[in-house]
Amino acid sequence: MGDNLQTMFETIRDASRRERIPDAATRKRRLSALKRLVVENRAEIAQAIDADFGGRAREETELMEIVPLLSGVGHALRSLRRWMRGERRHVAITFQPARAWIRYEPLGVIGIISPWNYPLFLSLGPLCDALAAGNRALLKPSELSPKFSELLARLVSEYFSPDEVAVATGGVEVAQAFAALPFNHLVFTGSTAVGRKVMAAAAQNLTPVTLELGGKSPAIIATDYPVEKAARSIVQGKFTNAGQTCIAPDYVLVPADKAETLARAILSIAEKAYPDLQSNSQYSNVISQRHRDRLNGAIEAARKAGASVLQPAGAAGGGKIPPTLVLGTPEDSLLLNEEIFGPVLPIVGYRDLDEALGFVNARSRPLALYAFTSERRTQDLILDGAISGGVTINGTLLHIAQDDLPFGGVGDSGIGAYHGVAGFRRFSHARAVYKPGLFNAFEVLGPPFGKLAALAIRFLGR
Ligand code: NAD
């Protein structure tokens, strides 16, 4: 395994060292190959993901992975020439005549470690940006989605040459060996705990990292906003992929006197969205028994601690974990302290907005925040009062789908952002270039120092 991984890496690195900076046509050819890989195999991709989950709808994979990925690739293809253009920079009067500019150049080989929850979008999304920036890449998809990972390895070998892009598969030992390779940049998407290990491994090689991590993303419903309206977006954001979405609302903060109404509204929408839940192929399964046990354990612990647990009528009693609302969750419970990453939603009542913001700020900085309000002032109070990686106002999830917005976390939810031009720049080296004109003052200022040096020190050092 180790030798194979090392060989895959060296094949790509050697080709990257031999290659001059790839022009726009080469990058477009690679991006087009990526697009064809997805378009020509979309049914097989959705089937593999369905099999790994033990149940995930084709429509969900299309809407949440394939569509946004293709949109990102299209955006990169259209914008590439503009992104690649050098950027003229200002030169101070003392250095005139001269020019200064920035060249965005490839870093070399990008390593991409991705999770199982959106295995296509979170492996090929970073790849899109890496290729646009002129890099080559080695990928390590998750061992928890083995059918998809095997398929990806095969497809990548069909659409790319092994010295351009390749996929290493295997378990945690492969992932560890992978993180220890001397990449020029390493992108990791996964949990905060593993993110720390990846960053430590990368530090040995001085490999810069982009960490796309998780956390507890809050939804805050302000007093002015109808809870029934907010409920729709919350159902979409929370129960799509059975809550296994990094930016799913983790918990909701709502004025205390509306908590019960919100819970009932969410429940009634979820009942209509997912009838006959246990046999409903449009409601995703939770990926593994370990995660199902973790979630069931957290629900039981909250119930024992006195919280009330609501689920759609007749939905429990099978392998799938139904949409679950928890009211009166004790503040020290697992559900309010660890990332939930499943279809369980604590609803927390607050007295005033300051209390709600205090609740968010008492925890690690979240990846996403959802603010529901129609008042501009309240919107600003929330935006100014609590930090997060990204925000959707009066909705959920959709900031991630904006090709021209950077996507990433802050604090414990991540380091660095990608998508669109942000991704192009993240995987580029902004190389500074300075070129003096016909007269170069520097050449006449050297030793032996005389009057000119004294004059320069007097005027320039003011
Ligand atoms: P995980 O951290 O368990 O695993 C992610 C990847 O890391 C896997 O491919 C795994 O093989 C690899 N890995 C495991 N141990 C490693 C090690 N010691 N060194 C290097 N790599 C190692 O995460 P997961 O369970 O697959 O995904 C769920 C988590 O990912 C959640 O916390 C979620 O919020 C987060 N997430 C974040 C984003 C984002 O864009 N910010 C997107 C999706 C998921």
Side-chain angles (χ1 to χ4, degrees):
M1 165 274 283
D3 287 353
N4 190 18
L5 182 63
Q6 189 69 29
T7 312
M8 284 171 123
F9 173 74
E10 282 170 10
T11 306
I12 299 174
R13 188 194 52 191
D14 294 351
S16 139
R17 284 185 178 169
R18 279 195 307 271
E19 184 180 42
R20 290 169 62 87
I21 290 179
D23 59 10
T26 307
R27 300 183 196 201
K28 283 189 174 178
R29 179 184 58 70
R30 291 177 185 160
L31 287 169
S32 302
L34 178 60
K35 184 174 168 181
R36 277 189 291 111
L37 181 158
V38 177
V39 170
E40 291 168 7
N41 301 282
R42 61 205 302 165
E44 212 183 333
I45 289 169
Q47 274 162 16
I49 295 175
D50 180 25
D52 281 332
F53 273 80
R56 188 167 100 176
R58 181 184 61 79
E59 292 87 342
E60 223 165 64
T61 296
E62 282 282 346
L63 290 171
M64 302 295 288
E65 304 214 56
I66 296 179
V67 169
L69 179 67
L70 292 176
S71 167
V73 177
H75 180 66
L77 280 166
R78 286 190 301 277
S79 317
L80 194 59
R81 281 185 194 280
R82 183 162 41 86
W83 294 344
M84 284 175 71
R85 235 177 262 150
E87 231 172 63
R88 185 91 179 264
R89 287 301 170 98
H90 177 74
V91 177
I93 184 86
T94 37
F95 295 98
Q96 295 292 2
R99 278 175 177 247
W101 70 98
I102 287 174
R103 286 165 60 91
Y104 289 101
E105 299 185 351
L107 294 171
V109 188
I110 312 292
I112 299 171
I113 304 179
S114 49
W116 49 266
N117 62 330
Y118 290 99
L120 180 83
F121 186 52
L122 298 174
S123 52
L124 300 191
L127 179 64
C128 165
D129 296 8
L131 293 178
N135 301 284
R136 293 164 187 249
L138 184 58
L139 282 68
K140 161 64 183 81
S142 171
E143 62 282 0
L144 282 184
S145 48
K147 294 206 168 63
F148 171 79
S149 298
E150 286 306 327
L151 176 65
L152 185 69
R154 177 165 68 73
L155 294 178
V156 164
S157 73
E158 284 170 18
Y159 287 80
F160 291 94
S161 92
D163 66 3
E164 261 178 344
V165 185
V167 176
T169 53
V172 173
E173 359 36 271
V174 177
Q176 281 168 333
F178 190 97
L181 290 170
F183 289 108
N184 300 107
H185 192 105
L186 184 55
V187 191
F188 168 82
T189 305
S191 60
T192 301
V194 177
R196 283 182 215 282
K197 296 185 191 168
V198 168
M199 191 165 174
Q204 297 304 313
N205 301 310
L206 291 183
T207 293
V209 290
T210 295
L211 302 179
E212 299 290 340
L213 311 176
K216 296 190 77 61
S217 299
I220 304 177
I221 305 177
T223 5
D224 70 284
Y225 202 84
V227 290
E228 291 80 3
K229 195 159 152 36
R232 292 208 166 272
S233 281
I234 290 171
V235 166
Q236 282 283 99
K238 183 70 180 185
F239 302 126
T240 293
N241 205 22
Q244 301 162 103
T245 305
C246 54
I247 51 168
D250 187 275
Y251 62 96
V252 184
L253 288 157
V254 61
D257 59 345
K258 294 180 179 169
E260 180 90 30
T261 319
L262 174 70
R264 298 277 161 213
I266 293 178
L267 215 54
S268 123
I269 299 167
E271 270 166 357
K272 288 194 192 93
Y274 306 110
D276 304 317
L277 186 114
Q278 289 299 335
S279 58
N280 189 331
S281 64
Q282 295 187 2
Y283 184 70
S284 285
N285 201 5
V286 165
I287 190 85
S288 68
Q289 192 57 43
R290 186 173 66 82
H291 281 292
R292 283 191 288 274
D293 291 346
R294 174 180 66 81
L295 291 164
N296 283 324
I299 297 171
E300 266 328 292
R303 207 195 301 263
K304 279 209 185 93
S308 44
V309 174
L310 308 175
Q311 292 177 329
K320 287 184 179 173
I321 299 188
T324 304
L325 304 169
V326 186
L327 289 158
T329 321
E331 267 222 34
D332 61 351
S333 69
L334 205 74
L335 283 178
L336 288 185
N337 291 285
E338 278 178 23
E339 182 182 13
I340 295 173
F341 218 60
V344 184
L345 185 69
I347 295 178
V348 180
Y350 68 80
R351 282 180 304 250
D352 57 39
L353 199 56
D354 276 347
E355 188 186 75
L357 294 171
F359 191 94
V360 176
N361 289 329
R363 286 160 176 74
S364 301
R365 291 183 169 164
L367 183 58
L369 184 147
Y370 302 109
F372 291 91
T373 177
S374 306
E375 296 169 358
R376 184 58 197 270
R377 208 182 85 81
T378 311
Q379 173 185 314
D380 291 345
L381 280 175
I382 297 175
L383 291 180
D384 291 347
I387 289 170
S388 70
V391 181
T392 294
I393 296 164
N394 299 338
T396 57
L397 308 191
L398 289 184
H399 61 284
I400 197 179
Q402 309 312 309
D403 293 322
D404 206 18
L405 280 183
F407 175 71
V410 58
D412 279 10
S413 59
I415 294 177
Y418 69 117
H419 287 192
V421 70
F424 173 86
R425 294 207 173 155
R426 187 81 191 155
F427 304 133
S428 294
H429 168 55
R431 190 180 190 188
V433 187
Y434 171 73
K435 184 180 181 191
L438 282 178
F439 171 71
N440 182 353
F442 190 68
E443 289 169 355
V444 296
L445 268 182
F449 297 117
K451 282 203 184 117
L452 198 60
L455 208 65
I457 292 166
R458 223 168 93 210
F459 284 105
L460 304 181
R462 268 179 309 178

